[in-house]
Amino acid sequence: MRAPLPTPLVAVEAATTLRRGAPAVLVAFPGDPVRLGPGGGDAPPGVTGRAGATTRHDGTWHVGAGDGAPADWRKAGASLVRALHGDAEQGGPTTFDVRLPADLDPGAVEAFALGASLGGYRYRITAAEEPKRVRTLRLITAHADAVDHAATLAAATSLSRDLANTPSNVKDPAWLASAAVRAARDVPGLDVEVRDERWLAAQGFGGVLAVGGGSARPPRLIQLTWSGGPGPHLVLVGKGITFDTGGISIKPAEGMHLMRTDMSGGAAVIAALTGIARRRLPLRVTGLVPAAENHVSGSAYRPGDVIRHHGGTTTEVTNTDAEGRLVLADALAYAVRTLAPDHLVDVATLTGAMKVTLGLRTGGLFATDDDLAARIAGAGAAVGERWWRMPLLEDAAEGVRSDIADVRQCPPGPGGITAALFLREFVGDVPWAHLDIAGPARADKAYDEVVPGATGFAARTLIGLAESWTGTAHGAGSGSGAGSDR
């Protein structure tokens, strides 16, 4: 079976002139009376201007922009494309001109373009013929650079979704590595190295080898490198668990099928590196994805084992379903010891505790450095991904110590916080942030530009974080984004 990669997106382009004969989309704003944007007169019955509300009247579509906040524009773009896709499946047109207000700022244009690109995303593996879909939206705007930036963000988000949605009978660590290599081929200057289980053993990656030891499909370390200039060296580390049974501490059957998305952090890192390289940002960025399948077999690691990580630190294993922190620990230690990062960020679907704490649309942000935390939160707000900073509670830090090893895997206390405290043991003095995306990495229903399945959450934030050191950041507006380590 061949997974459909990449998933095609609606082509959103900018122009300053209308196409002859192309069907039009008008923008509506709520009020009494409802106001229409360029090309409109009086609003037809049923047009409310509410953000995302779409109607068709005499062949012309209307989409509501609400109060005009960037989040409203993103929702408007996504809702419009979903409506147009539905109409195209019934024989409607597949290309449209959208008449945006001439005074619309670049951030709003970017938000609308981002929503329009991603709102109609659909990942399916099927024998059925693909239905007719909208192909092109032409936005009538002078802000072509904002539309181009949205296209980069949308492509990265879509790639991250594709990687996470791919079923795990296709996606093992070797497949994920080959997918990263294929993605990098389209981006000049982005290099990828793949390290196999023999290299991992020689380098002492005990966490990755322990987690991957129960599977017949061996682990990999994927390293992506962008050397864009003399700026700061940013290292991004993403959890790449291609399927998570929980190991011997096995998960309940209900919901286990969703564990194909347990490498969403790794997917975000791979996708972010492609976006950073496409933008040709003038700094150095390295992405590390420790990839393994956490399986149950006679060779699986056990609760009570002591494993030795890269660099020598030992960990007492207490729960084989908290595997994500073990592979991240190896990669973080490797980054600190060999890559000389100026800033270090890891991203992972790590703890169910963060889903309980922050829900399904907000990522957890832990950081040892206030400036780094502010950059991440700001980058997320600018691209429609919401983060909430969590504390690294020092009164819980002593629980990380083990009686028989240097540290223990699952200290007592609040699960999201203690997992972050465990990871902190491996970052030395490097400014570090840990992003727990267990909630927003997956969605079970559509909202804004998000569709059911993998969301691609964090890929856009990581691109924006890199941009924050280069003076090239754009803004698509604030908004929102989907266990034990899951």
Side-chain angles (χ1 to χ4, degrees):
M1 180 178 65
R2 195 170 185 83
L5 191 74
T7 294
L9 300 178
V10 174
V12 181
E13 59 188 39
T16 55
T17 59
L18 295 163
R19 292 173 289 188
R20 180 176 297 176
V25 176
L26 302 180
V27 177
F29 299 90
D32 188 14
V34 173
R35 297 175 293 114
L36 294 182
D42 295 332
V47 176
T48 67
R50 178 174 51 84
T54 56
T55 58
R56 184 175 56 179
H57 183 80
D58 290 339
T60 298
W61 285 87
H62 301 81
V63 61
D67 294 332
D72 289 338
W73 283 107
R74 198 170 62 251
K75 184 174 184 177
S79 299
L80 173 65
V81 164
R82 290 177 189 137
L84 297 182
H85 276 331
D87 185 62
E89 292 179 7
Q90 303 302 315
T94 60
T95 182
F96 291 83
D97 286 357
V98 182
R99 303 185 63 161
L100 296 177
D103 60 351
L104 195 60
D105 68 77
V109 172
E110 182 176 316
F112 184 85
L114 183 63
S117 295
L118 292 173
Y121 173 96
R122 180 169 62 178
Y123 183 96
R124 295 190 71 207
I125 302 172
T126 175
E129 184 177 346
E130 185 68 18
K132 190 178 173 185
R133 307 271 278 172
V134 174
R135 297 196 310 269
T136 306
L137 286 186
R138 171 181 278 198
L139 309 187
I140 307 305
T141 177
H143 298 302
D145 58 340
V147 176
D148 290 343
H149 190 250
T152 298
L153 296 178
T157 305
S158 180
L159 174 60
S160 183
R161 290 178 180 181
D162 282 346
L163 295 175
N165 279 327
T166 298
S168 295
N169 59 321
V170 174
K171 176 179 59 189
D172 63 3
W175 182 93
L176 184 60
S178 67
V181 171
R182 291 195 302 273
R185 284 177 186 152
D186 296 330
V187 190
L190 180 58
D191 297 321
V192 183
E193 295 178 87
V194 179
R195 277 65 178 265
D196 64 13
E197 66 273 25
R198 292 177 293 277
W199 184 93
L200 291 166
Q203 295 295 319
F205 277 62
V208 177
L209 292 168
V211 172
S215 174
R217 308 195 288 181
R220 295 287 185 268
L221 178 70
I222 306 163
Q223 180 168 331
L224 304 97
T225 304
W226 167 249
S227 300
H233 186 195
L234 171 64
V235 176
L236 307 175
V237 179
K239 173 185 168 184
I241 301 299
T242 56
F243 193 76
D244 182 19
T245 66
I248 288 176
S249 308
I250 196 164
K251 293 178 180 293
E254 182 181 0
M256 194 191 288
H257 64 287
L258 297 174
M259 292 302 103
R260 63 178 173 267
T261 68
D262 205 26
M263 36 60 66
S264 292
V269 167
I270 293 169
L273 263 292
T274 66
I276 289 165
R278 280 198 177 93
R279 296 271 292 141
R280 306 199 66 78
L281 297 181
L283 78 168
R284 293 177 295 153
V285 185
T286 303
L288 297 175
V289 180
E293 184 175 69
N294 189 23
H295 225 298
V296 184
S297 75
S299 59
Y301 76 128
R302 296 155 292 268
D305 286 359
V306 174
I307 60 177
R308 188 178 298 275
H309 295 280
H310 178 84
T313 298
T314 58
T315 291
E316 175 192 2
V317 176
T318 55
N319 182 344
T320 65
D321 191 26
E323 81 299 327
R325 65 196 73 183
L326 298 179
V327 303
L328 290 175
D330 276 340
L332 291 169
Y334 173 76
V336 171
R337 288 170 57 86
T338 66
L339 300 178
D342 295 301
H343 311 280
L344 182 58
V345 179
D346 74 77
V347 55
T349 50
L350 205 66
T351 66
M354 291 310 300
K355 295 172 69 174
V356 174
T357 302
L358 296 177
L360 303 182
R361 302 189 185 186
T362 303
L365 163 59
F366 300 81
T368 58
D369 182 84
D370 291 342
D371 177 69
L372 180 58
R375 288 176 184 271
I376 291 169
V383 297
E385 295 181 335
R386 187 167 57 208
W387 300 94
W388 189 266
R389 190 171 182 184
M390 299 291 295
L392 290 163
L393 298 176
E394 292 303 327
D395 58 0
E398 183 57 31
V400 178
R401 308 267 70 80
S402 167
D403 292 335
I404 64 170
D406 293 319
V407 292
R408 55 176 164 174
Q409 175 201 30
C410 294
I417 293 172
T418 56
L421 290 169
F422 172 85
L423 293 175
R424 191 178 65 172
E425 296 290 319
F426 298 88
V427 302
D429 296 327
V430 178
W432 161 75
H434 161 57
L435 307 180
D436 192 330
I437 61 170
R442 294 182 287 268
D444 58 6
K445 62 182 180 180
Y447 61 90
D448 299 338
E449 79 284 2
V450 172
V451 298
T455 66
F457 192 88
R460 304 198 300 265
T461 294
L462 296 178
I463 295 172
L465 174 63
E467 290 174 335
S468 75
W469 281 291
T470 66
T472 58
H474 287 236
S478 61
S480 60
S484 58
D485 295 4
R486 49 190 296 173

